[in-house]
């Protein structure tokens, strides 16, 4: 069967879950991957592989031929001012290339993966929803700014007639976060005992399996030019770390830092990231420090009502799957549970 679905970013954390889910259901899937060997290692002969990336317009044009649905999952998920050019190239220019190729190939449906972090609550009395898209890109936040500009490109193509919908995810959790993403890095750092403090910030988490299901629902029923929040559980960072403690047997950090101190550390983190060229993403930087000022609690009511999507996996289970996966990695050095059992309450 010739491929009907194209997935960019298939070898990444979210993309590999989506690819496997679709292939397991008998879908004819084609993936665009920079590394053909890695894609083959992950998916075997279950998918068709096209070599290329979002900056390779001819490869994108070829990959889109004969395709009915595109999932644009590829993107750079990094924090720190040093990465702003790469973020723009991949997340903005790359998205534009995908949209143009989809238009030229007359693709029937495009799902563009974005970040719920772009949204900013205007009314403190309610949860963030799809209407909270700001009128300007955030300053000093290159990752979120790149996602904002990419969404503007998507909305412009939707006005031209391209059947494209936006799926906005929050913090994905689960097995297979190889890079890892900043969310996975939180779990990895916790396991390594490298998460010494917390601040009062609210986050939203979603299991990667539920996210995959939501993306498929957006492809099936999402309206063109519309945004759908694929979010699940709202948690204070302190409560999330307590769940990690329960799952791992390791103690949660007890040191609380006020916002001004976090922002000072964020500025210092930018300097460290600029000096450490081997860093792929700053642990604490100006963007994450500024983000920590906000309570990022979301509503998924629109996705539930319009798409019939409902998260089915508890966040505790998703945390457990992520912890098990990280601990099973041979390169993963984590603190032994026995050394900290006396501190667990």
């Amino acid at each position: 069967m010739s491929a009907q679905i194209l997935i960019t970013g298939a070898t990444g954390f979210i993309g590999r879950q989506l690819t496997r889910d679709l292939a397991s259901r008998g879908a004819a899937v084609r993936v665009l991957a920079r590394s053909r060997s890695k894609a083959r290692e992950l998916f075997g002969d279950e998918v068709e592989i096209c070599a290329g990336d979002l900056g390779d317009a001819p490869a994108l044009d070829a990959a889109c031929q004969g395709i009915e649905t595109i999932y644009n999952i590829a993107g750079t998920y990094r924090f720190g001012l040093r990465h702003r050019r790469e973020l723009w190239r991949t997340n903005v220019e790359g998205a534009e290339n995908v949209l143009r190729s989809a238009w030229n190939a007359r693709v029937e449906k495009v799902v563009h993966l974005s970040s719920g972090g772009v949204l900013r609550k205007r009314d403190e009395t309610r949860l963030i929803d799809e209407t909270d898209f700001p009128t300007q890109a955030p300053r000093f936040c290159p990752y979120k700014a790149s996602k904002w500009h990419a969404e503007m490109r998507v909305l412009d193509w939707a006005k031209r007639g391209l059947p494209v919908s936006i799926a906005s995810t929050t913090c994905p959790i689960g097995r297979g976060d190889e890079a890892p993403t900043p969310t996975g890095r939180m779990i990895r750092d916790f396991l390594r005992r490298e998460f010494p403090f917390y601040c009062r910030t609210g986050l939203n988490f979603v299991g990667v399996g539920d996210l995959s299901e939501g993306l498929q629902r957006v492809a099936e029923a999402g309206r063109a030019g519309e945004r759908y929040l694929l979010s699940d559980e709202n948690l204070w960072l302190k409560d999330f770390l307590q769940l990690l403690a329960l799952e791992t047997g390791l103690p949660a950090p007890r040191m609380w830092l006020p916002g001004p101190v976090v922002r000072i550390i964020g500025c210092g983190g930018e300097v460290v990231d600029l000096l450490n060229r081997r860093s792929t993403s700053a642990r604490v930087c100006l963007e994450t420090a500024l983000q920590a000022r906000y309570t990022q609690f979301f509503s998924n009511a629109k996705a539930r009502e319009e798409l019939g999507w409902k998260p089915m996996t508890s966040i505790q289970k998703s945390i457990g799957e992520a912890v098990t996966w990280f601990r099973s990695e041979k390169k993963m050095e984590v603190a032994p549970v026995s050394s900290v059992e006396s501190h667990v309450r």
Side-chain angles (χ1 to χ4, degrees):
M1 183 186 300
S2 60
Q4 298 170 321
I5 295 171
L6 173 65
I7 301 175
T8 71
T11 60
F13 177 41
I14 298 170
R16 67 179 62 178
Q17 179 74 44
L18 175 64
T19 301
R20 286 169 173 158
D21 288 348
L22 286 167
S24 69
R25 296 173 183 177
V29 178
R30 179 184 298 162
V31 302
L32 181 74
R34 283 174 293 184
S35 172
R36 186 184 293 272
S37 60
K38 181 168 185 178
R40 187 65 66 199
E41 178 185 352
L42 286 170
F43 310 121
D45 296 325
E46 294 183 345
V47 303
E48 178 187 336
I49 301 171
C50 285
D53 59 33
L54 300 192
D56 188 345
L60 270 172
D61 287 341
C64 289
Q65 293 305 309
I67 291 297
E68 297 177 2
T69 302
I70 296 177
Y71 292 92
N72 184 31
I73 310 301
T76 297
Y77 187 10
R78 292 178 180 173
F79 295 124
L81 294 172
R82 178 167 67 87
H83 308 289
R84 60 189 181 279
R85 290 187 180 87
E86 180 188 359
L87 288 162
W88 184 269
R89 280 196 306 270
T90 305
N91 296 349
V92 183
E93 295 176 353
E96 177 74 20
N97 291 339
V98 171
L99 297 165
R100 184 183 300 109
S101 292
W103 176 269
N104 292 336
R106 298 186 179 182
V107 172
E108 297 178 9
K109 182 68 180 184
V110 181
V111 177
H112 173 81
L113 181 63
S114 189
S115 169
V118 173
L119 305 175
R120 182 67 65 236
K121 181 166 57 176
R122 295 188 294 266
D123 182 355
E124 293 299 323
T125 64
R126 62 175 179 80
L127 299 175
I128 299 171
D129 64 24
E130 290 83 354
T131 66
D132 291 314
F133 189 71
T135 57
Q136 294 180 326
R139 299 177 61 194
F140 309 114
C141 299
Y143 171 71
K144 292 179 182 63
S146 72
K147 303 303 279 188
W148 185 91
H149 283 285
E151 286 203 32
M152 293 298 288
R153 304 285 182 99
V154 170
L155 295 174
D156 181 59
W157 276 99
K159 291 177 182 177
R160 299 188 209 179
L162 183 67
V164 55
S165 302
I166 298 169
S168 295
T169 183
T170 53
C171 301
I173 295 183
R175 63 170 66 89
D177 195 353
E178 184 179 353
T181 63
T183 310
R185 190 170 184 175
M186 290 170 61
I187 298 174
R188 187 191 67 181
D189 288 352
F190 186 94
L191 290 168
R192 290 178 171 176
R193 306 297 305 281
E194 295 175 355
F195 207 116
F197 62 85
Y198 68 93
C199 60
R200 183 172 173 79
T201 186
L203 301 169
N204 183 284
F205 300 89
V206 62
V208 69
D210 285 326
L211 176 55
S212 170
E213 181 65 29
L215 289 166
Q216 294 171 65
R217 295 292 182 91
V218 174
E220 294 166 2
R223 290 181 287 140
E226 290 291 321
R227 179 184 299 107
Y228 296 92
L229 265 168
L230 302 179
S231 60
D232 188 8
E233 190 160 346
N234 295 310
L235 290 171
W236 295 107
L237 176 58
K238 180 180 180 180
D239 295 332
F240 173 71
L241 295 172
Q242 290 291 346
L243 290 178
L244 270 174
L246 288 173
E247 193 64 41
T248 63
L250 299 172
R254 299 179 180 178
M255 184 188 304
W256 171 79
L257 294 183
V261 175
V262 173
R263 289 189 282 279
I264 292 172
I265 294 174
C267 292
E270 288 288 353
V271 175
V272 172
D273 189 52
L274 285 169
L275 296 175
N276 181 13
R277 290 292 172 174
R278 292 181 299 175
S279 170
T280 57
S281 180
R283 288 187 179 183
V284 182
C285 63
L286 189 56
E287 180 164 3
T288 55
L290 292 173
Q291 184 70 14
R293 296 182 301 172
Y294 301 105
T295 302
Q296 292 277 280
F297 286 169
F298 294 87
S299 167
N300 60 17
K302 182 177 178 179
R304 286 174 177 260
E305 294 168 3
E306 290 195 19
L307 309 178
W309 175 75
K310 179 181 179 181
M312 302 301 292
T313 305
S314 71
I315 293 303
Q316 185 69 62
K317 182 177 179 181
S318 295
I319 290 173
E321 291 173 350
V323 167
T324 300
W325 187 85
F326 276 114
R327 280 180 163 166
S328 69
E329 290 296 285
K330 292 181 180 179
K331 295 181 181 180
M332 179 68 207
E333 297 178 3
V334 299
V337 175
S338 59
S339 67
V340 294
E341 282 179 344
S342 61
H343 300 285
V344 178
R345 296 173 183 265

